[in-house]
Amino acid sequence: AQKITQTQPGMFVQEKEAVTLDCTYDTSDQSYGLFWYKQPSSGEMIFLIYQGSYDEQNATEGRYSLNFQKARKSANLVISASQLGDSAMYFCAMRECLNQAGTALIFGKGTTLSVSS
Amino acid sequence: KAGVTQTPRYLIKTRGQQVTLSCSPISGHRSVSWYQQTPGQGLQFLFEYFSETQRNKGNFPGRFSGRQFSNSRSEMNVSTLELGDSALYLCASSQGLVGETQYFGPGTRLLVL
């Protein structure tokens, strides 16, 4: 069965510093996708970045980059130059193929990031 | 483009009652998925609807059901509410292609007393 593991319940960082949030995954599929979402205290899940299993380059979106190491089955999120507004829960997710069509996401337990000034 | 909207944002119900939650996807999106988020179980997939048909279903009892209308809006219904149904219910939409990004709404917080 597919599984996502986030081992850091909480991370603390100062403004302008970079931070890495860890994510490891387990799947027997050859084709898969990995996502990171941010969830502020308001509850809405905000899409940050996506990495496909066949993508040769690490994905980047502004201050977010994904450190994808396929052999290690890890997909760590790197946030450069942290801002106070980055304080939130961060979830790593994987596309689960339930059948030939459709998509369901399986999520890790999440990491709470706290950014201080 | 407007994002995913969910109504109501907050609900309080008592055990045994039923509840209906609504989700309007991003314009042009035909797939709507529902997730339940609780402190104990985390985020769990409930079901996905595409073109008015349930395409995928998670491991939840039959008390949880849903439907999708021709305009892609979706509703989910929980009958005979239990205390453990208290959760944040999140709806996500996508165009419906396998593996594409899902965009989430703000969620409905349900409290069952």
Side-chain angles (χ1 to χ4, degrees), chain A residues 35 37 39-47 50 91 95 97-109, chain B residues 9 33 35 37 40-43 45 48 55-57 88 90 96-107 109:
Chain A
F35 302 80
Y37 287 87
Q39 187 177 43
S41 56
S42 60
E44 182 173 359
M45 297 283 281
I46 301 167
F47 166 71
Y50 166 79
F91 290 94
R95 178 185 77 225
C97 296
L98 298 176
N99 53 39
Q100 290 298 317
T103 298
L105 293 174
I106 57 169
F107 288 85
K109 294 292 187 186
Chain B
R9 295 293 310 278
S33 297
Y35 295 83
Q37 185 178 21
Q41 299 299 316
L43 280 148
F45 170 73
E48 180 206 7
R55 189 159 69 170
N56 286 304
K57 188 177 191 305
L88 176 66
L90 290 160
L97 300 174
V98 175
E100 67 173 333
T101 300
Q102 296 183 10
Y103 296 92
F104 285 79
R109 291 188 187 272

Side-chain angles (χ1 to χ4, degrees), chain B residues 80-93:
Chain B
T80 320
L81 282 166
E82 300 177 359
L83 296 180
D85 297 333
S86 294
L88 176 66
Y89 290 89
L90 290 160
C91 160
S93 79

Side-chain angles (χ1 to χ4, degrees), chain A residues 24-57:
Chain A
T24 58
Y25 60 91
D26 190 19
T27 181
S28 57
D29 292 341
Q30 295 299 310
S31 175
Y32 52 88
L34 296 154
F35 302 80
W36 277 92
Y37 287 87
K38 170 185 176 182
Q39 187 177 43
S41 56
S42 60
E44 182 173 359
M45 297 283 281
I46 301 167
F47 166 71
L48 296 177
I49 197 166
Y50 166 79
Q51 180 85 41
S53 58
Y54 291 119
D55 295 339
E56 294 186 352
Q57 292 200 338

Side-chain angles (χ1 to χ4, degrees), chain A residues 68-114:
Chain A
F68 182 48
Q69 298 188 40
K70 197 169 180 178
R72 294 186 177 184
K73 293 191 174 180
S74 75
N76 299 339
L77 177 70
V78 180
I79 306 175
S80 63
S82 298
Q83 301 172 356
L84 293 177
D86 293 336
S87 294
M89 181 82 88
Y90 288 79
F91 290 94
C92 180
M94 172 184 285
R95 178 185 77 225
E96 181 177 31
C97 296
L98 298 176
N99 53 39
Q100 290 298 317
T103 298
L105 293 174
I106 57 169
F107 288 85
K109 294 292 187 186
T111 296
T112 302
L113 176 64
S114 299

